[in-house]
Each structure stands twice: as C-alpha cells, then as structure tokens.
Amino acid sequence: MGYLTTAGYDLAGIMATDPWQPASGSLALGALETRAIPVDLSSTSYRTLYRVVLGAVTPGDMLRIDADARVTNDCGYTIGVGWHLWMYDYNNPLKTNGPWWRISHLMGDNVDRTRHHMPLHISTLYRMPDDWPAGHRPVIVLRADAHSTAWQSGDTLTVDAGYGQLIVEHYKPTI
C-alpha cells in the first residue's frame, strides 16, 4: 500500500499502487465566488462556489481535493441541493466555455425551514488522465445547484461567506 506525505501528517491507504510525495508548493486555496444560487425546477442551474487554478500538472499526477461550503434556506420551503467537483483546462483558449469534466461523485441533500443551514462537504482523490496535455493547468471547481417543486421566480439559496473552502493538494509520482 502506498503512502502520501504532507506537511505535518501522513495519509495512509489513499492509493493502493505507487507511493506519491507532495510537490513543492502543493497547496492551493480557493475563494468564494458567489453568494446566491438561484432556485428553479431543474437541477442544471449550477453555480461556481469555489475555484482554484493550479500550476502545471502532468499525466499521472494526483490531486487530493477537499471542499466545504454552507448554504442557508430563507425561502420557507424545502430546497434540494446538489454539489460536485469539476475540472477544466486553463490553457484551453475557450477557458470556461471549453470542455468540463466532473471529477467527483454527485452529492445531494434537502434543506428545509427547520434545518435552515446546511453544510456541504465533498472530497476526492483524482488521478490526472493519461491524455492530459503535459504542462497544462487544471482549474478545480466546486459547483452547486438548488431546485424545488415549490420554487418561485427570483428565489435564491444563500451561500454563506466564511463557512467554506476549496483545498487542492498536488502530488507527483516519486518515480
């Protein structure tokens, strides 16, 4: 079993293949990008909550991603929330209009009047694909959407400042 090492702690058992070690400058933090998610009937009105532009990576590099956010429901009815991690290529001239890849599982839960505040957490360990262009910079994004059958035009779910973060650790193979 391989081990990952970062400053101050060991991560055991994340990869069961080759050992990895952190690259220098391996930590990047993202800032909150939106304070509101529109509520609608569909689950396709994603909003970017956090975004991190990484330095150059190569095929086979590993990304360990942890993301947190918190939303508040002041609408008075139950709202479904979905959240997930995505990636696009910063070096692609189309930037956000170019291809995106979902790199995590889908998460979802309901926030009602009683619950009012709901934390969102997601993490993943992602291996850069073999066809990733060496030296290109990935952009990691935490996205979320809000939907309800009771929605009314103009309703929004609040994304709370000070309750979230997106942390990406970049690991390179030792061999």
Side-chain angles (χ1 to χ4, degrees):
M1 177 175 299
Y3 290 91
L4 300 176
T5 305
T6 60
Y9 63 98
D10 293 330
L11 302 171
I14 296 206
M15 289 298 295
T17 56
D18 298 328
W20 298 82
Q21 68 180 14
S24 59
S26 62
L27 188 64
L29 300 172
L32 183 62
E33 294 210 2
T34 187
R35 292 290 312 270
I37 303 169
V39 180
D40 58 20
L41 187 58
S42 73
S43 59
T44 58
S45 56
Y46 309 120
R47 290 296 183 267
T48 294
L49 305 186
Y50 291 93
R51 173 190 331 253
V52 170
V53 180
L54 297 177
V57 300
T58 56
D61 286 0
M62 295 292 290
L63 304 178
R64 182 171 180 250
I65 306 162
D66 287 296
D68 293 288
R70 190 181 84 171
V71 295
T72 298
N73 177 1
D74 289 320
C75 292
Y77 54 83
T78 301
I79 298 174
V81 182
W83 64 98
H84 20 75
L85 295 167
W86 291 77
M87 178 177 73
Y88 65 88
D89 185 347
Y90 181 81
N91 296 92
N92 183 321
L94 298 175
K95 302 282 192 244
T96 60
N97 292 322
W100 287 62
W101 302 271
R102 185 171 52 85
I103 61 170
S104 73
H105 52 286
L106 299 172
M107 295 291 291
D109 202 350
N110 294 319
V111 58
D112 59 20
R113 269 189 320 206
T114 305
R115 188 175 190 185
H116 192 61
H117 302 291
M118 184 172 73
L120 313 178
H121 174 76
I122 193 166
S123 62
T124 195
L125 184 63
Y126 181 76
R127 182 183 181 277
M128 295 304 295
D130 292 336
D131 61 352
W132 181 261
H136 277 216
R137 300 174 63 190
V139 181
I140 306 302
V141 179
L142 172 63
R143 300 174 92 187
D145 67 89
H147 47 277
S148 176
T149 56
W151 77 282
Q152 297 176 20
S153 181
D155 286 350
T156 60
L157 189 65
T158 302
V159 182
D160 300 321
Y163 288 91
Q165 61 186 353
L166 172 59
I167 301 171
V168 181
E169 295 173 297
H170 175 197
Y171 296 88
K172 291 194 164 289
T174 57
I175 42 177

